[in-house]
Amino acid sequence: MKRLLISALCVVLAACGPEKKAAAPAPEALPTYANLRDSDCYTVDLFDPVQIKAPGSDVPVQYHGFLGEWGGGAWNGKWCHDLVIYEVRANGEVELLSMHAPNFEIGYPPTVFKRTAVIDINNTLRLVAGDDRMVYNLDRQFLVGKRTGKRGDYQIALTRKGSAPFPVFRPASTQLATN
């Protein structure tokens, strides 16, 4: 009886021990966003090259990762989209070009717009364009986005075109942005 009580006490004490950290997901378990990607995507041609501005010393390092040309993604896997994020300021303001291929289903022509966006305290890039709201988060090599508005709800995963222009902060993982 004494052995049984000692054994039971050992089991209880072992269960109350320090928590073990969850193992990192296997590489094959990490998201690839294949359904939001299209390496053949084409939006518009820019006639003048865009100069990516080096961030000032006052710009938080986690903002640097947003800088550069992003593409190869399609909203819901159907509507091609590119971003050129060419300036990030210390206050989180971002200057960018937003480019889209035509989307005949919703009557949207090919476009390129110069926009101002903001990186918030959660490292989410937020952009409002007319009736649409877009949010983007860094997830390893992806810039993952969500678009909501009168045209519907869309998701996308962009990758860098070329190399990162400056040292890049990349979180190990992130979840799809939500409003």
Side-chain angles (χ1 to χ4, degrees), residues 37-100:
R37 309 262 317 115
D38 184 345
S39 59
D40 294 329
C41 262
Y42 174 79
T43 56
V44 297
D45 289 323
L46 297 175
F47 293 107
D48 295 321
V50 178
Q51 183 69 31
I52 309 296
K53 296 180 181 177
S57 60
D58 57 341
V59 175
V61 70
Q62 63 268 27
Y63 295 179
H64 297 195
F66 289 95
L67 284 166
E69 295 181 46
W70 296 89
W75 293 110
N76 289 353
K78 298 178 183 177
W79 181 20
C80 295
H81 173 52
D82 290 334
L83 280 178
V84 178
I85 301 172
Y86 60 89
E87 184 176 3
V88 178
R89 298 185 190 105
N91 65 359
E93 283 186 357
V94 173
E95 297 296 329
L96 59 85
L97 296 177
S98 176
M99 297 163 281
H100 289 88

Side-chain angles (χ1 to χ4, degrees), residues 4-172:
L4 183 59
L5 286 174
I6 292 173
S7 296
L9 182 60
C10 288
V11 169
V12 169
L13 289 175
C16 295
E19 286 185 32
K20 294 182 180 179
K21 292 184 179 181
E28 64 273 4
L30 294 172
T32 62
Y33 304 110
N35 60 329
L36 305 176
R37 309 262 317 115
D38 184 345
S39 59
D40 294 329
C41 262
Y42 174 79
T43 56
V44 297
D45 289 323
L46 297 175
F47 293 107
D48 295 321
V50 178
Q51 183 69 31
I52 309 296
K53 296 180 181 177
S57 60
D58 57 341
V59 175
V61 70
Q62 63 268 27
Y63 295 179
H64 297 195
F66 289 95
L67 284 166
E69 295 181 46
W70 296 89
W75 293 110
N76 289 353
K78 298 178 183 177
W79 181 20
C80 295
H81 173 52
D82 290 334
L83 280 178
V84 178
I85 301 172
Y86 60 89
E87 184 176 3
V88 178
R89 298 185 190 105
N91 65 359
E93 283 186 357
V94 173
E95 297 296 329
L96 59 85
L97 296 177
S98 176
M99 297 163 281
H100 289 88
N103 185 331
F104 299 112
E105 289 178 16
I106 62 171
Y108 201 85
T111 60
V112 60
F113 290 103
K114 181 180 176 188
R115 305 264 191 219
T116 300
V118 175
I119 300 171
D120 70 17
I121 194 160
N122 298 316
N123 255 0
T124 298
L125 177 69
R126 296 188 177 277
L127 172 64
V128 176
D131 295 325
D132 292 333
R133 298 186 185 298
M134 287 144 289
V135 292
Y136 299 90
N137 291 94
L138 293 169
D139 183 1
R140 295 161 296 127
Q141 75 267 24
F142 299 103
L143 184 61
V144 182
K146 183 177 182 180
R147 179 185 187 120
T148 56
K150 69 179 183 180
R151 294 179 180 94
D153 295 338
Y154 297 86
Q155 294 181 349
I156 197 167
L158 304 165
T159 54
R160 285 193 184 281
K161 292 179 159 185
S163 60
F166 304 100
V168 175
F169 169 80
R170 293 205 178 134

